[in-house]
Amino acid sequence: MSAIENFIGQVNGLVWGPPMLVMILGVGLFLSIGLKLMPVLKLGAGFRLMWQGRKAAGAESEGEIPPFQALMTALSATVGTGNIAGVATAVFLGGPGALFWMWLTALVGMATKYSEAVLAVRFREVDERGNHVGGPMYYIRNGLGKKWTWLGVLFAIFAAIAGFGIGNTVQANSVADVMEASFGLPHWATGVILMVLVGMVLIGGIRRIGHVASALVPFMAISYLLSGIVVLAINAADIPAAIALVFKHAFSPIAAEGGFAGAAVWAAIRFGVARGIFSNEAGLGSAPIAHAAAQTRNPISQGMVAMLGTFIDTIIICTITGLVIITSGAWKGGVSGAELTSLAFADALPGVGNYIVAIALAVFAFTTILGWSFYGERSVEFLFGVKAIVPYRVAWIIAIPVGATLNLGLVWLVADTLNAMMALPNLVALLLLSPVVFKLTREHFAREKTLGVD
């Protein structure tokens, strides 16, 4: 097992090396400049479109779920252990400066997520069951032409396999750990409970996933945020120093202190970007699979709704987690992952904080497993047709209790590695199809200007 872990560690170091980090940030920056910073400047318009998209569209609109449910489905998959355990791991390994690089990844990632959703709606198809299907594999094949289909196949293979890491076993494992620590529940029991709950939802397909996500995601996100704000209010005196640490150590190394091993600037960049991507998934190509099912004829509108996912996930939720950890001082104690976040909350809210984190992590992970099951199903459908969906769904459900009892270190390592391999085909496609995104965006806002719409 140690030989396997060492091999995967070497591959991880290769795929998450400087070229990948430069490519993720570079593509996001290129798209941001090409879009003239529209995703940041039009943030308010995006929230208005999200609010308007809560109800089902008319019969003339294509798609299976309202735009709001498409965003909630995408958020259900992104708001997960990355927001609690991932942020903690980034700060533990990269120091407070890692939070700055998470922010930067998110700001340029908004343009990436916008572009992904625009292409997903523009190049989606209708499958043999009458459902709209889309995502990187489809916009690669339909946007770049059949000679590029091999790239779409690669993405679908990586996504179908990666789902079992990032969207299944990692989530189940993290929940099992925190439920045992907080409530004494055995790992296997957590795995079985999650398996039953997920199975009950998956029977209903994307429509049921959309309904569950639109109910759970806003509730869990707001509850967690309010709890975090209470903790920050208690630690208010330490917030200025915490923010100063974030900016200072984004560009300068931080020395070892207590249980903290110290971190170079490269560690802050590497773990900040890697955990930022793990958290918001901008560039991975996962979220556009959900947005392709939205009831809309307008790729730009859905793109503007989609970009909110990155903002909500990282700029808001991850920031709250990061500041709670840094202001508490718990990051110097030598613990990592969800346990670190739990300690930070418990420091301000004794006897309550650890339970808040445990419940939030359980709900976050549950919805992530639901969202990623849909991504995996769409990937195997692209590869093998609709006949592959039921076997994949069965394998997905069985993997949950298995994942709950695995070694967390190996699971995180595999998930991290597959993330990068999944991102490569998508980032290449985004670069090659960027002229389409720029053209559609220019035309849309030119029409709005003509019509006098803000």
Side-chain angles (χ1 to χ4, degrees):
M1 182 62 74
S2 62
I4 294 173
E5 195 161 344
N6 287 335
F7 172 73
I8 295 173
Q10 290 174 356
V11 175
N12 183 271
L14 183 65
V15 297
W16 275 119
M20 171 56 79
L21 301 189
V22 168
M23 189 171 184
I24 288 172
L25 292 176
V27 169
L29 185 60
F30 169 74
L31 293 169
S32 297
I33 294 169
L35 292 166
K36 299 177 181 176
L37 302 182
M38 184 279 292
V40 175
L41 298 175
K42 292 283 186 179
L43 194 60
F47 276 105
R48 285 198 298 273
L49 285 168
M50 179 192 75
W51 187 251
Q52 292 165 6
R54 289 169 297 135
K55 297 179 181 178
E60 73 282 355
S61 291
E62 303 165 349
E64 283 65 57
I65 54 177
F68 177 78
Q69 286 190 16
L71 175 62
M72 291 304 110
T73 301
L75 269 176
S76 75
T78 55
V79 178
T81 57
N83 299 83
I84 293 178
V87 176
T89 302
V91 173
F92 175 74
L93 295 173
L99 190 59
F100 172 86
W101 293 101
M102 290 185 81
W103 291 338
L104 188 63
T105 303
L107 286 175
V108 299
M110 286 174 64
T112 307
K113 191 73 72 80
Y114 166 83
S115 302
E116 289 174 335
V118 168
L119 293 172
V121 174
R122 171 65 180 81
F123 293 110
R124 64 186 177 180
E125 298 179 3
V126 178
D127 67 12
E128 57 193 85
R129 298 173 304 170
N131 291 328
H132 286 77
V133 292
M137 54 281 202
Y138 290 96
Y139 56 68
I140 287 171
R141 183 173 69 188
N142 298 334
L144 296 177
K146 291 192 175 179
K147 65 182 180 182
W148 288 91
T149 299
W150 63 272
L151 195 64
V153 169
L154 275 182
F155 173 86
I157 292 171
F158 292 144
I161 301 172
F164 282 98
I166 183 177
N168 188 315
T169 53
V170 162
Q171 309 297 329
N173 200 289
S174 295
V175 175
D177 272 354
V178 80
M179 293 305 279
E180 183 176 54
S182 300
F183 303 104
L185 196 65
H187 277 58
W188 67 265
T190 299
V192 170
I193 293 168
L194 276 174
M195 178 180 70
V196 172
L197 292 174
V198 170
M200 289 169 63
V201 177
L202 293 192
I203 292 171
I206 180 59
R207 288 180 176 84
R208 186 173 296 176
I209 292 173
H211 282 301
V212 172
S214 63
L216 275 181
V217 171
F219 171 76
M220 72 180 185
I222 291 170
S223 300
Y224 181 73
L225 286 174
L226 289 176
S227 303
I229 289 168
V230 169
V231 172
L232 289 178
I234 294 170
N235 297 341
D238 299 309
I239 292 176
I243 294 174
L245 277 178
V246 170
F247 283 96
K248 178 182 178 182
H249 294 297
F251 304 98
S252 64
I254 180 169
E257 184 179 354
F260 178 68
V265 175
W266 167 242
I269 297 172
R270 181 191 169 186
F271 293 107
V273 174
R275 294 303 178 206
I277 294 299
F278 185 89
S279 172
N280 62 52
E281 297 174 19
L284 290 193
S286 50
I289 299 174
H291 288 288
Q295 292 172 334
T296 181
R297 289 178 180 269
N298 189 339
I300 304 304
S301 295
Q302 196 59 37
M304 291 176 69
V305 171
M307 70 191 190
L308 300 178
T310 302
F311 182 84
I312 293 168
D313 181 275
T314 305
I315 301 296
I316 297 178
I317 301 177
C318 286
T319 297
I320 292 289
T321 302
L323 289 178
V324 165
I325 289 169
I326 298 167
T327 56
S328 72
W331 60 280
K332 303 171 187 174
V335 296
S336 182
E339 186 184 355
L340 172 53
T341 306
S342 185
L343 282 173
F345 271 81
D347 180 68
L349 302 170
V352 179
N354 58 317
Y355 294 115
I356 290 172
V357 173
I359 294 168
L361 185 65
V363 179
F364 282 8
F366 172 65
T367 58
T368 297
I369 293 171
L370 293 179
W372 265 93
S373 68
F374 178 66
Y375 298 162
E377 286 180 15
R378 284 291 192 254
S379 297
V380 295
E381 179 182 345
F382 178 83
L383 294 169
F384 307 111
V386 294
K387 64 182 182 296
I389 291 177
V390 172
Y392 186 87
R393 196 173 288 177
V394 170
W396 186 266
I397 293 169
I398 292 172
I400 295 170
V402 175
T405 57
L406 286 177
N407 172 268
L408 183 62
L410 180 60
V411 172
W412 270 100
L413 197 58
V414 171
D416 223 18
T417 305
L418 288 170
N419 269 6
M421 296 176 74
M422 212 180 130
L424 279 170
N426 183 54
L427 292 171
V428 170
L430 286 174
L431 280 175
L432 295 175
L433 289 169
S434 59
V436 177
V437 177
F438 300 156
K439 181 174 181 289
L440 289 172
T441 304
R442 280 196 309 271
E443 290 173 350
H444 173 84
F445 287 107
R447 282 196 302 272
E448 285 204 341
K449 191 174 181 181
T450 303
L451 296 171
V453 179
D454 180 18

